[in-house]
C-alpha cells in the first residue's frame, strides 16, 4: 500500500504534468504544424535545395515564413491549431505519466520523495529515469500522437473532418496496429530524447545553482531556489539539446504515421501505404531519395518550438507543482 504522502505526491506530479503539457502544447502548436508539414513533404523544403537538385516539381513549402503565409492564406488562423485536440488528449496523459513515473524513479534512486533531494542524483540516473519515464508515457498516449500528426498534415481540403472520423477510418482499414504505426522509431527516439531532456535539465539546474552560489557566496542553502527566468533558460537549453540529436527519428516516425494519407496533390507526392518495410528501410530510402537534408526536414521549426516548449513545460510544471503542494498541505 502506498503511504498517503506518496499518493498525494503522485497526484501532484500527475496534475502538474498534465497542466504544464497542455499549456506548452497549445502555445507552440503553430510551430508544430509547420514542422509536421515539412517532415511529411517528400520534396525539398528549401529554395537552395530545389536549385541544387534541379527539381522540376515545385515544393509546397520552402521555408518557415513562406509556410506560415501559405497556411494562413489557405486555412486561416485555425490552420495553425490543426490537430490540437488530439495533441492535448495526447500530451496531458503523456506528461502526467511522464512526470509521475519520473518522480517515482527518482524517489527510488534517492531514497527520498522530496524534489529538492532529487537534484543531487547523478546525471546518469537522471538520464535513465527520464528515458524510462518517456517510454511509459509514449506507449500510454501514442494513438493520440498519430491522430494529431494526420490532422495537422492533411491541409485543405480536409481528408478527415474531425478526430473521430480519422480514428474510425484508421481502425477499420488498418486495425489496432494502424493506431501504433511508427511506434518503434518513437520508442527508439524517446530513450535518448527524454533521457537527454531530463538529464540535461537537471544538469543545467545544478550549474545554475552553482552559478548562484558563486555570485552570492554568503547566501544560505534555502536560497538555492532558482528564479522563473533561470528555470526557463534551463528548460530551453534542455529541449534544444534533445531535439537536435533525435530529429531524424522523428521524421521517420511522421512518415510512418501518414502512410496512405490521400492529401491534395498540391501538397506534393504522398507517402504510399507500406512505403517503408521497417525503420531501417525508411532511413535508407529517405537518405537515398532526399539526402541527409531529408532526415532533418523541419529541424528549424522543431528547434524553435522545442526550446520554448521545453521551457514552458518545466516552468509550468514547477509552478503548478508548488501551487498544488501548497493547497494540499
Amino acid at each position: 500500500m502506498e503511504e498517503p504522502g506518496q499518493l498525494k505526491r503522485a497526484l501532484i506530479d500527475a496534475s502538474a504534468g498534465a497542466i504544464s503539457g497542455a499549456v506548452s502544447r497549445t502555445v507552440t502548436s503553430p510551430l508544430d504544424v509547420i514542422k509536421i508539414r515539412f517532415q511529411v513533404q517528400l520534396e525539398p523544403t528549401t529554395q537552395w535545395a530545389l536549385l541544387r537538385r534541379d527539381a522540376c516539381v515545385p515544393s509546397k513549402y520552402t521555408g518557415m515564413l513562406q509556410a506560415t503565409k501559405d497556411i494562413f492564406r489557405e486555412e486561416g488562423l485555425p490552420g495553425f491549431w490543426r490537430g490540437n485536440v488530439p495533441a492535448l488528449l495526447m500530451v496531458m496523459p503523456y506528461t502526467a505519466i511522464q512526470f509521475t513515473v519520473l518522480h517515482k524513479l527518482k524517489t527510488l534512486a534517492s531514497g527520498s520523495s522530496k524534489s529538492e533531494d532529487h537534484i543531487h542524483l547523478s546525471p546518469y540516473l537522471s538520464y535513465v529515469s527520464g528515458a524510462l519515464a518517456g517510454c511509459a508515457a509514449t506507449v500510454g498516449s501514442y494513438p493520440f500522437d498519430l491522430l494529431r500528426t494526420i490532422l495537422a498534415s492533411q491541409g485543405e481540403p480536409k481528408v478527415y473532418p474531425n478526430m473521430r472520423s480519422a480514428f474510425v477510418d484508421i481502425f477499420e482499414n488498418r486495425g489496432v496496429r494502424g493506431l501504433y504505426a511508427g511506434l518503434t522509431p518513437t520508442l527508439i527516439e524517446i530513450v535518448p530524447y527524454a533521457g537527454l531532456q531530463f538529464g540535461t535539465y537537471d544538469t543545467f539546474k545544478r550549474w545554475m545553482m552553482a552559478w548562484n552560489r558563486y555570485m552570492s557566496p554568503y547566501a544560505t542553502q534555502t536560497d538555492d531556489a532558482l528564479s522563473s527566468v533561470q528555470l526557463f533558460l534551463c528548460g530551453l537549453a534542455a529541449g534544444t539539446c534533445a531535439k537536435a540529436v533525435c530529429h531524424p527519428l522523428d521524421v521517420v516516425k511522421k512518415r510512418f504515421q501518414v502512410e496512405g494519407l490521400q492529401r491534395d496533390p498540391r501538397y506534393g507526392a504522398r507517402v504510399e501505404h507500406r512505403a517503408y518495410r521497417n525503420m531501417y528501410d525508411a532511413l535508407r530510402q529517405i537518405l537515398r531519395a532526399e539526402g541527409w537534408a531529408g532526415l532533418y526536414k523541419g529541424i528549424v521549426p522543431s528547434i524553435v518550438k522545442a526550446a520554448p516548449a521545453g521551457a514552458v513545460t518545466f516552468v509550468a510544471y514547477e509552478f503548478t507543482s508548488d501551487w498544488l503542494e501548497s493547497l494540499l498541505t
Side-chain angles (χ1 to χ4, degrees):
M1 286 279 296
E2 294 269 0
E3 295 178 8
Q6 291 178 315
L7 288 173
K8 184 182 79 171
R9 185 68 242 181
L11 175 64
I12 290 172
D13 288 327
S15 302
I19 293 169
S20 64
V23 171
S24 175
R25 176 64 63 181
T26 301
V27 168
T28 60
S29 179
L31 289 166
D32 203 40
V33 169
I34 294 170
K35 181 200 76 167
I36 291 172
R37 298 286 175 95
F38 283 167
Q39 288 177 319
V40 301
Q41 178 173 291
L42 302 186
E43 295 78 20
T45 55
T46 63
Q47 289 286 2
W48 179 79
L50 278 169
L51 292 170
R52 243 191 111 186
R53 292 166 66 91
D54 196 26
C56 56
V57 180
S59 295
K60 173 65 175 173
Y61 302 118
T62 56
M64 276 188 65
L65 185 59
Q66 180 267 338
T68 302
K69 290 178 179 176
D70 259 27
I71 293 170
F72 182 73
R73 186 179 67 251
E74 296 171 359
E75 304 167 46
L77 204 57
F80 293 105
W81 277 268
R82 284 277 175 87
N84 198 47
V85 172
L88 290 177
L89 292 175
M90 171 200 77
V91 81
M92 291 184 76
Y94 181 94
T95 47
I97 295 169
Q98 187 180 42
F99 279 107
T100 302
V101 173
L102 181 71
H103 190 273
K104 187 69 176 176
L105 290 170
K106 286 186 174 182
T107 298
L108 288 172
S110 66
S112 169
S113 62
K114 295 181 179 178
S115 296
E116 53 266 28
D117 293 331
H118 297 171
I119 196 68
H120 304 298
L121 282 175
S122 74
Y124 304 106
L125 284 173
S126 291
Y127 283 112
V128 172
S129 298
L132 291 175
C135 286
T138 297
V139 173
S141 60
Y142 190 80
F144 291 117
D145 185 20
L146 180 134
L147 292 171
R148 181 276 310 258
T149 298
I150 287 174
L151 294 179
S153 64
Q154 62 182 351
E156 287 285 351
K158 295 177 182 177
V159 180
Y160 301 112
N162 51 49
M163 184 178 70
R164 183 180 177 278
S165 64
F167 176 85
V168 170
D169 184 66
I170 293 167
F171 185 75
E172 287 180 349
N173 290 297
R174 298 162 64 185
V176 176
R177 289 187 66 179
L179 294 172
Y180 282 88
L183 180 62
T184 300
T186 306
L187 288 176
I188 294 173
E189 172 202 5
I190 204 66
V191 172
Y193 181 79
L196 279 168
Q197 188 179 33
F198 284 99
T200 54
Y201 180 64
D202 285 345
T203 300
F204 287 132
K205 279 177 72 174
R206 277 193 294 273
W207 289 351
M208 195 68 78
M209 288 167 69
W211 171 258
N212 287 349
R213 284 193 291 270
Y214 173 76
M215 296 301 292
S216 304
Y218 301 110
T220 62
Q221 193 165 358
T222 55
D223 295 329
D224 268 352
L226 301 178
S227 69
S228 57
V229 174
Q230 289 175 321
L231 288 172
F232 183 89
L233 290 173
C234 290
L236 186 147
T240 302
C241 290
K243 184 56 69 177
V245 171
C246 303
H247 190 77
L249 287 171
D250 192 42
V251 172
V252 171
K253 176 184 81 170
K254 294 297 191 295
R255 297 291 176 89
F256 275 111
Q257 288 179 330
V258 299
E259 273 188 344
L261 182 65
Q262 300 298 303
R263 298 200 300 169
D264 190 275
R266 65 180 165 164
Y267 291 97
R270 299 165 180 162
V271 181
E272 299 299 335
H273 186 52
R274 299 192 182 279
Y276 311 116
R277 292 193 300 275
N278 50 48
M279 186 185 72
Y280 172 75
D281 182 56
L283 285 167
R284 185 177 58 81
Q285 285 197 45
I286 294 170
L287 269 174
R288 188 179 67 233
E290 305 167 49
W292 280 100
L295 292 175
Y296 282 90
K297 282 182 175 176
I299 186 64
V300 175
S302 182
I303 288 182
V304 171
K305 173 214 160 192
V312 171
T313 298
F314 283 118
V315 172
Y317 173 79
E318 300 273 0
F319 276 93
T320 307
S321 179
D322 291 344
W323 174 65
L324 289 172
E325 201 160 0
S326 68
L327 286 179
L328 296 174
T329 52

